[in-house]
Amino acid sequence: MPFQRGQAPVRSAKDQPGGMEWIAAAAWSALAAGGTDAHRLGSGREMWLERFGPDLLLSHQTERGRDEVLAELDQRCAFYSYHPARVFGKYLPHQASERGAPVLLRGDAGTSLETEVLEAGARYGLDFAAGYSAGLFIDQRANRARVRALKPRRLLNTFAYTCSFSVVAALAGAETVSIDLSRRSLTRGEENFRRNGLDPHAGHRFIADDVMAVLPRWARRGEKFDAIILDPPTFSRNQAGEAFQVQRDFDRLVALALEVAAPGASILLSVNHSAMRVADLERGARGALKMAGKSGRFSQTASLPDFPPGAGAKTVWVEVR
């Protein structure tokens, strides 16, 4: 079982702070054996705890829950023979406008806030001072593994952030194109390429632009990709002030992606919006496929052993026929 439920030395979920459940020792060992030190450590009703190499990040909604986890953290970590160098805390606000960078709760304040983590042997840089997100969304681990296994010839990574999907595709031999509104994020993505011994300028492009504007231009040029990543934010605004809202615009995004999808292309559909479900993604994609005169086969990746059911991004893959 992936989580400890009432087995010593971990208490049952109802007795734990915020309903916190901790991953089993076997899951910890399996992740380490697979070259991964970035993963969930515990999940609760109002918080979760993530390991990023030598550091921990506790995301919480209440100070009480935060303090209760901190009070027993040393005991919990000893169960895994793990001793974190630092512990950061991140408040989970109800409004996106209230989001802030993590704050140091424990550890040496004089050490660099930049660090590096491993996922299946791939290296990614993190920066706890960069903003609300440090640089890697660990709930996409199985989808990154799928991209690596697909060995695509050309990958299009939209809303690329720090380009983790592009890294694993490049490690598998693909040419990649990464698009994001943030030049800073793309620069961090280029550095992730270098961390993995990849030349970011050898068959790879990093484009700071609006995905919704770029895709129609590329469709007119006849660009085609055999793997496409659609993992947009809930909300963003381009340089012209035009807003992207995932509930409103996701179906159109899928339709635009289909115009640059090669026959047999694999497309990842992923959102992290609380009001959207996997069924919504499939329904929108089926409508876009029908309008494009195409069909598709839908599938999902295996669940992650360190995430409880229903946690993390909602994702589904579609293979275009």
Side-chain angles (χ1 to χ4, degrees), residues 5-6 11-21 45:
R5 298 180 188 273
R11 297 194 304 261
S12 64
K14 68 179 181 180
D15 295 328
Q16 296 176 33
M20 182 73 81
E21 296 182 358
R45 292 189 298 271

Side-chain angles (χ1 to χ4, degrees), residues 38-265:
H39 55 81
R40 278 274 183 105
L41 182 55
S43 301
R45 292 189 298 271
E46 56 187 28
M47 69 190 77
W48 59 83
L49 184 66
E50 297 166 314
R51 178 195 178 193
F52 289 108
D55 301 312
L56 292 178
L57 176 61
L58 175 59
S59 299
H60 59 90
Q61 290 182 341
T62 67
E63 292 184 359
R64 176 181 175 273
R66 176 200 66 192
D67 292 344
E68 289 181 342
V69 171
L70 289 174
E72 64 171 11
L73 190 58
D74 291 341
Q75 173 193 352
R76 300 299 177 184
C77 288
F79 179 59
Y80 308 103
S81 299
Y82 171 69
H83 305 284
R86 297 176 298 186
V87 180
F88 293 89
K90 183 171 70 175
Y91 173 62
L92 299 171
H94 294 291
Q95 301 295 329
S97 59
E98 299 175 357
R99 290 179 173 181
V103 297
L104 184 65
L105 302 177
R106 287 187 186 176
D108 187 353
T111 55
S112 174
L113 294 177
E114 296 185 17
T115 188
E116 182 177 274
V117 297
L118 290 171
E119 181 183 276
R123 300 178 180 275
Y124 302 100
L126 297 186
D127 185 354
F128 288 104
Y132 189 70
S133 299
L136 183 68
F137 296 120
I138 58 176
D139 57 350
Q140 294 288 3
R141 187 171 70 244
N143 289 319
R144 281 187 287 268
R146 181 161 180 166
V147 167
R148 203 165 181 174
L150 281 172
K151 293 182 171 60
R153 186 178 65 85
R154 297 189 79 208
L155 172 113
L156 173 61
N157 188 6
T158 67
F159 306 94
Y161 189 37
T162 58
C163 308
S164 60
F165 279 104
S166 303
V167 166
V168 292
L171 286 170
E175 298 178 5
T176 69
V177 178
S178 304
I179 310 173
D180 197 279
L181 284 170
S182 170
R183 169 52 64 186
R184 182 184 181 190
S185 292
L186 293 174
T187 298
R188 293 176 67 189
E190 292 181 36
E191 179 57 30
N192 278 333
F193 270 66
R194 296 187 185 96
R195 290 177 186 273
N196 289 279
L198 299 165
D199 183 349
H201 305 297
H204 309 289
R205 287 184 284 169
F206 302 83
I207 300 171
D209 206 339
D210 180 5
V211 169
M212 305 299 280
V214 170
L215 291 181
R217 296 201 301 265
W218 285 5
R220 291 192 293 270
R221 279 187 351 211
E223 294 263 13
K224 296 294 180 184
F225 300 88
D226 57 336
I228 300 174
I229 306 300
L230 304 180
D231 181 22
T234 297
F235 178 87
S236 66
R237 193 178 297 277
N238 65 17
Q239 297 91 334
E242 299 168 333
F244 174 91
Q245 297 179 359
V246 69
Q247 277 190 288
R248 181 192 68 193
D249 297 322
F250 192 81
D251 293 357
R252 178 168 169 254
L253 173 63
V254 176
L256 292 175
L258 287 172
E259 295 182 6
V260 297

